[in-house]
Amino acid sequence: MARTKEFDPEAALQAALELFWQRGYEATSMSDLVAHLGIGRASIYATFGSKHELYLRALERYDRAGLPPIVRELSQPGPALPAVRAVVRRYATEAADDQLRRNGCMVTNAATELAPHDPAAARHVERNWDQLETVLHSALVRAQAQGELPPDRDPLALARMLLVLLQGLRVVGRASADPGRVRGAAEQALALLD
């Protein structure tokens, strides 16, 4: 007879997400996970597979929670350019905030730590960036159609520039104690939308 799980897999996955997000993949050992999740190593392996598989599931969970609000914000009816500006300014504010910048963005962290040598993590990062670029592009196309963005601007090129800016804000914000650096960069990029 199969034993029933004596823990909530969703709660364990959330706890793993928080630990990976705080420490990163390499700095989180299986012993750390056992202690933080409060469940045995064998249970972790039986439920989630390897540490790598657990990390990828945690990364996916993080993405599912973080991307939909941005999609909703940029897909609202009405003027689109103010929503794009608000997203960029929020990223800059979060990147400059001492409390929020400590962990950074888990997707950006995965991009810098794992993606260069981990194809599965790289695919996840690319999928996230593709989704963010698509929603930015759609908002900018809408802004152009509504006369908010000059007709000579390329919405796809601008979306790609903003994607790179947003990820760069996360990286620089996490490493820099100068909030003016990320805020100034964000405002300069937003000037290109005028």
Side-chain angles (χ1 to χ4, degrees):
M1 179 185 336
R3 293 181 55 196
T4 58
K5 291 195 184 336
E6 297 175 6
F7 65 94
D8 178 356
E10 290 301 312
L13 181 58
Q14 182 62 36
L17 182 158
E18 292 164 5
L19 189 61
F20 283 129
W21 188 9
Q22 179 184 43
R23 292 188 180 178
Y25 178 76
E26 294 297 336
T28 303
S29 69
M30 186 53 85
S31 296
D32 295 332
L33 288 164
V34 167
H36 190 74
L37 276 59
I39 58 179
R41 184 180 301 256
S43 294
I44 293 173
Y45 286 127
T47 304
F48 301 108
S50 67
K51 171 185 155 184
H52 187 254
E53 290 169 311
L54 175 56
Y55 177 83
L56 292 175
R57 286 184 59 185
L59 187 58
E60 184 177 318
R61 181 184 187 98
Y62 175 89
D63 197 28
R64 280 195 321 261
L67 200 53
I70 295 170
V71 171
R72 281 192 300 276
E73 187 174 355
L74 292 176
S75 301
Q76 293 293 316
L81 213 48
V84 171
R85 290 179 186 283
V87 166
V88 171
R89 287 185 175 125
R90 189 174 63 251
Y91 267 66
T93 298
E94 290 171 1
D97 182 272
D98 284 337
Q99 184 67 24
L100 296 175
R101 74 185 184 94
R102 189 167 297 130
N103 290 347
C105 167
M106 193 168 173
V107 174
T108 306
N109 297 347
T112 58
E113 182 184 14
L114 293 177
H117 57 80
D118 183 330
R123 280 191 302 276
H124 183 86
V125 168
E126 282 293 330
R127 187 171 51 248
N128 173 279
W129 289 350
D130 286 345
Q131 292 169 340
L132 184 52
E133 181 182 295
T134 297
V135 72
L136 285 165
H137 180 229
S138 295
L140 292 167
V141 166
R142 207 170 78 247
Q144 198 168 51
Q146 295 172 166
E148 302 169 67
L149 187 66
D152 65 334
R153 301 297 162 80
D154 180 349
L156 180 57
L158 287 172
R160 289 181 171 168
M161 183 271 302
L162 289 175
L163 170 69
V164 171
L165 171 76
L166 296 177
Q167 296 308 303
L169 291 175
R170 298 286 201 206
V171 171
V172 173
R174 188 159 186 211
S176 176
D178 180 4
R181 183 171 281 148
V182 293
R183 290 191 180 119
E187 290 305 317
Q188 186 62 40
L190 288 176
L192 298 174
L193 301 179
D194 294 331

